Amino acid sequence: MKGPRERIIYIPCILTGTGTQQPDYLATVDVDPESPSYCKVIEAREIFEKCDLAFPRSTHCLGSGEVMIAALGDPRGNGKGGFVLLDAETFEVKGNWERPTQAAPQGYDFWYQPRHNVMISSEFGVPKFFVTGFNPADLGKGRYGRRLNIWDWTTHCLLQSIDVGEGTTLEVRFLHNPNAAHAMVSSALQGCIFHVFKRQDGCWTAEKVIQVPSKKVSGWLLPEMPAFTTSMVISLDDRFLYASNFVHGDIRQYDISNPFRPRQVGQVFVGGSIPKGGAVTVLEDLELDCQPDPFMIQGRRVYGGPQMLQLSLDGKRLYVSNGLYTPWDKQLYPEMVREGSVMLQIDVDTERGGLYVNEDFLVDFGKEPCGPARAHEMRYPGGDCTSDIWL
């Protein structure tokens, strides 16, 4: 767990749907506490209008010098879990990674482990159904993902599809140890995390090892509110896993020293749909005695729930943003769309476990010159806990 302290963070900012005509942009945020521009956006680059991909999502660099991007569907909005290869120097499109006719039914995230000749990809859903928001009527109709797809890394062939139940399989995180045959995958609508591992016969299997209980509520889209485990990150020493619960509003820390039996060791609430005084009333809760207080920091009420996560290389600082996807943000957190999102820093106890909000750290994207923005995935220059893969 050695590496330089992070000084800047790159984070895409979404303006679509906020009433502005300005394009979305890539923000550079200063996270150096010794800098006079600490917690400020120091550069904003308009780049996304230059791309014309069909629902691109996850990106990884390959040892071949190429960049691979996972797609959620085809240009018509149908489900298609394929992968686009780019030249890392010129960003010229080189073609598809998967073999012809080998695309998965749906796509989202992926992670590869060359020493086990494997890649695992996940499935969000069929784009033309979720681009307008979350419609509970779409459940049970094959419109949301339910598979983990296992690929041969060398031949680019789809070997297995593991059915883990409808619920959108999202983030795929292998352990960082390149010899490890263990990965964790989140399922948003099921509010759970699966442990995916290789059996002795060489096939891969998935077991649910973390389940966040749903809450019985009134004043929400459904009578039972799932956790929406949308994002995860694993520390570089493979000891801790962090998961964001976008709807309930908390971030959880698990000790995964034994990936078959994760143990929760930390939790902190930073927003969500269930604070006191809101539209949602919790009728039955298997975990909490009462609804949490609204989350405030530096005099600012934070709307929205914790979404994307990034961890410092030494594991001591967890960064959190709370923008998910425009139609879903509008539907679930209209106040956050109107006022903009935030980036927070959570201090981590790396010895015994524990999460604590750093009250001195706040990046307020509601005060940007182009208007309120919603910040999404965070990356460091040179690699980080969600992008580095060792060969």
Side-chain angles (χ1 to χ4, degrees):
M1 298 254 314
K2 295 181 179 179
R5 181 183 173 122
E6 65 282 1
R7 302 295 180 185
I8 59 173
I9 288 180
Y10 299 128
I11 182 166
C13 292
I14 312 303
L15 290 163
T16 308
T18 59
T20 178
Q21 299 301 312
Q22 296 293 324
D24 301 334
Y25 60 92
L26 182 69
T28 303
V29 177
D30 188 334
V31 295
D32 180 358
E34 304 299 322
S35 171
S37 55
Y38 181 54
C39 292
K40 302 293 184 183
V41 174
I42 56 177
E43 184 180 22
R45 290 191 177 187
E46 301 170 0
I47 62 171
F48 296 104
E49 74 278 7
K50 298 178 182 178
C51 299
D52 186 28
L53 297 173
F55 305 98
R57 201 276 163 184
S58 298
T59 304
H60 280 297
C61 295
L62 309 186
S64 61
E66 297 166 307
V67 175
M68 190 157 84
I69 302 174
L72 278 70
D74 65 19
R76 296 170 297 283
N78 300 308
K80 185 178 181 182
F83 307 89
V84 178
L85 287 176
L86 306 181
D87 184 284
E89 297 294 331
T90 65
F91 289 102
E92 177 186 357
V93 176
K94 300 181 67 175
N96 289 62
W97 177 85
E98 75 279 4
R99 286 179 173 269
T101 73
Q102 285 279 300
Q106 299 172 23
Y108 187 73
D109 195 22
F110 72 100
W111 195 288
Y112 61 91
Q113 201 76 316
R115 295 189 187 181
H116 291 279
N117 192 38
V118 69
M119 181 178 81
I120 298 176
S121 67
S122 60
E123 300 182 345
F124 185 98
V126 179
K128 64 184 176 183
F129 294 112
F130 65 71
V131 292
T132 56
F134 172 56
N135 183 358
D138 287 332
L139 297 173
K141 298 180 179 179
R143 296 173 178 176
Y144 282 103
R146 59 182 304 132
R147 289 166 292 265
L148 300 175
N149 297 302
I150 313 298
W151 303 79
D152 185 297
W153 183 241
T154 301
T155 66
H156 306 184
C157 289
L158 181 60
L159 301 177
Q160 285 180 253
S161 289
I162 304 173
D163 191 330
V164 295
E166 185 179 39
T168 73
T169 55
L170 296 184
E171 305 287 352
V172 181
R173 300 285 185 255
F174 261 100
L175 298 186
H176 295 286
N177 179 355
N179 293 317
H182 300 271
M184 296 291 184
V185 181
S186 62
S187 175
L189 297 177
Q190 294 188 70
C192 67
I193 294 173
F194 291 93
H195 172 213
V196 188
F197 58 95
K198 186 165 66 172
R199 303 193 308 246
Q200 290 186 347
D201 63 3
C203 292
W204 292 77
T205 191
E207 294 180 355
K208 186 189 298 184
V209 292
I210 295 172
Q211 178 66 66
V212 180
S214 297
K215 303 178 189 296
K216 291 186 178 180
V217 299
S218 63
W220 198 66
L221 296 172
L222 295 167
E224 288 204 13
M225 177 188 286
F228 269 57
T229 47
T230 54
S231 183
M232 297 187 307
V233 60
I234 294 176
S235 58
L236 285 184
D237 62 358
D238 290 335
R239 181 182 173 192
F240 293 117
L241 177 146
Y242 303 87
S244 62
N245 295 335
F246 182 63
V247 175
H248 292 175
D250 60 315
I251 303 165
R252 299 179 183 227
Q253 178 189 23
Y254 294 91
D255 187 322
I256 58 168
S257 300
N258 178 357
F260 292 92
R261 294 185 178 275
R263 181 170 57 91
Q264 185 177 332
V265 293
Q267 182 181 33
V268 63
F269 277 84
V270 290
S273 297
I274 62 169
K276 296 174 183 176
V280 174
T281 299
V282 178
L283 305 175
E284 183 178 320
D285 195 325
L286 298 179
E287 295 187 308
L288 303 178
D289 295 328
C290 62
Q291 294 179 232
D293 293 323
F295 179 63
M296 304 285 298
I297 183 169
Q298 297 183 20
R300 196 226 203 256
R301 167 74 184 271
V302 173
Y303 295 99
Q307 215 287 93
M308 298 307 297
L309 303 176
Q310 187 56 264
L311 187 66
S312 61
L313 300 183
D314 62 8
K316 295 181 179 180
R317 294 169 299 283
L318 182 68
Y319 295 94
V320 185
S321 63
N322 60 351
L324 176 63
Y325 178 57
T326 297
W328 292 47
D329 289 342
K330 284 181 171 183
Q331 183 179 16
L332 298 174
Y333 295 116
E335 302 94 338
M336 188 260 289
V337 174
R338 182 179 65 247
E339 299 191 15
S341 71
V342 300
M343 188 168 86
L344 308 170
Q345 186 188 100
I346 310 298
D347 293 332
V348 179
D349 185 333
T350 58
E351 297 297 325
R352 297 169 296 178
L355 301 175
Y356 312 92
V357 175
N358 182 342
E359 299 288 345
D360 296 325
F361 186 100
L362 173 65
V363 182
D364 187 348
F365 291 96
K367 297 181 178 179
E368 288 305 293
C370 293
R374 283 162 293 117
H376 193 62
E377 191 166 12
M378 296 160 285
R379 293 289 178 91
Y380 307 144
D384 48 60
C385 295
T386 60
S387 62
D388 279 355
I389 297 176
W390 281 267
L391 304 177

